[in-house]
Amino acid sequence: MTDAGGTWREAEQALQAGIDYERANAARIYDYLLGGACNFAVDREQAAKILTQNPDMAYVCRANRDFLRRAVEWCLSQGITQFLDLGSGVPTAGNVHEIALAQDPDARVTYIDFEPVAVAHAHEVIGGLENVSVTRADMRDPEGVLAAPGVHDLLDPARPIALLTVAVLHFVPDPELPAVLARYRAATAPGSVHVMSHGSADHDDPELAARTRAIQDGYRGSATEVVLRTREEIRELLGGLELVPPGLVDIVDWPTPSPGARPTGGYAAIARIA
């Protein structure tokens, strides 16, 4: 039997699909911390390690999910009804398309992820929805992503798009990442926005900084280790664009401060692309 409970034949098919049962993956760890079921024992073991390092991690994941909901709702309030979700992960309750379609049945959402379990489950979740697509692709290849049928045939480049990079960029160590993100933004119409959340240990509170570094330590040895960027480096990823108020703030404080809420150590922002 395999770790996922399948047969050896299923294990072979999984390996052919690119599923790695031996190393934990950020998408599946995140799914587990949110209470999902699309994860393996190796992911749960890594999650336990992360929680040992920082017991707040499950709280951080939920706070980030809440930020995603608020950001999508804000985009819709601005008339932005198209969403390109890079590194979308394993779908759980409160997916982008659920939030968007509940308010605008004509909204369009395309999910991009490289992790095969996340992609397979996403296909199951969206069923036959006409305005939602899932594409397995590497977000570091903007030309390939933008040319993929699930993106090219669904999103209208003449209309504003919300580029979503929520809790994903701190798993991308590529030094060319600013240029990669700039390419995506260059392909969008005026009125588009870039939505981001990103982990960081750059905080005035030394205890908060230490807790965030502990999360980074907890991911060591997984297939997706964490890169903690400074506030300046995160700002660089947004290309110097105008930030929607309140700017670059803790995830729990976007778009309005949340007095008494425990800070997460992650920053959130929405930048106006044009």
Side-chain angles (χ1 to χ4, degrees):
M1 301 292 285
T2 70
D3 178 50
T7 64
W8 285 111
R9 177 57 181 164
E10 289 170 336
E12 181 181 359
Q13 292 172 339
L15 290 173
Q16 291 173 351
I19 299 174
D20 185 354
Y21 288 129
E22 303 302 320
R23 300 178 70 194
N25 175 275
R28 302 190 308 258
I29 293 170
Y30 189 63
D31 172 69
Y32 173 71
L33 291 170
L34 287 173
C38 291
N39 49 78
F40 306 140
V42 66
D43 305 306
R44 297 187 286 275
E45 291 167 4
Q46 193 81 34
K49 178 181 177 181
I50 295 167
L51 289 169
T52 298
Q53 298 280 1
N54 186 341
D56 276 352
M57 187 56 186
Y59 163 75
V60 171
C61 291
R62 292 192 299 271
N64 185 75
R65 198 70 177 177
D66 288 343
F67 162 69
L68 174 64
R69 173 184 53 78
R70 297 193 300 272
V72 170
E73 291 174 344
W74 181 89
C75 290
L76 293 167
S77 74
Q78 302 299 302
I80 302 171
T81 60
Q82 298 191 114
F83 299 87
L84 175 56
D85 191 352
L86 300 178
S88 51
V90 177
T92 56
N95 300 307
V96 174
H97 74 274
E98 291 176 336
I99 301 165
L101 293 176
Q103 296 192 32
D104 187 337
D106 294 325
R108 301 179 182 184
V109 178
T110 181
Y111 295 113
I112 305 295
D113 208 291
F114 189 72
E115 209 288 315
V117 172
V119 173
H121 187 57
H123 277 293
E124 292 181 4
V125 169
I126 68 170
L129 294 175
E130 293 183 359
N131 287 3
V132 186
S133 71
V134 181
T135 299
R136 187 183 180 206
D138 189 333
M139 63 161 285
R140 295 172 298 179
D141 175 20
E143 304 302 332
V145 169
L146 294 170
V151 179
H152 181 271
D153 296 344
L154 182 63
L155 300 183
D156 181 355
R159 294 171 46 219
I161 293 173
L163 176 66
L164 307 180
T165 57
V166 177
V168 64
L169 299 181
H170 45 237
F171 295 113
V172 185
D174 194 332
E176 298 301 317
L177 186 56
V180 168
L181 296 173
R183 174 65 190 94
Y184 281 109
R185 293 192 294 260
T188 64
S192 297
V193 296
H194 184 171
V195 178
M196 177 194 293
S197 66
H198 194 300
S200 176
D202 186 4
H203 302 288
D204 297 332
D205 180 350
E207 292 186 5
L208 178 59
R211 289 202 305 271
T212 310
R213 284 193 294 270
I215 293 175
Q216 181 184 41
D217 292 340
Y219 274 92
R220 296 195 192 282
S222 73
T224 42
E225 296 194 357
V226 169
V227 178
L228 296 177
R229 295 181 172 90
T230 65
R231 278 177 283 197
E232 181 179 350
E233 290 170 328
I234 294 171
R235 191 69 180 84
E236 182 183 356
L237 295 179
L238 292 168
L241 299 172
E242 174 194 357
L243 300 186
V244 172
L248 189 67
V249 296
D250 192 280
I251 289 169
V252 297
D253 292 325
W254 199 99
T256 55
S258 300
R262 200 156 70 251
T264 65
Y267 288 112
I270 293 184
R272 297 186 187 277
I273 295 175

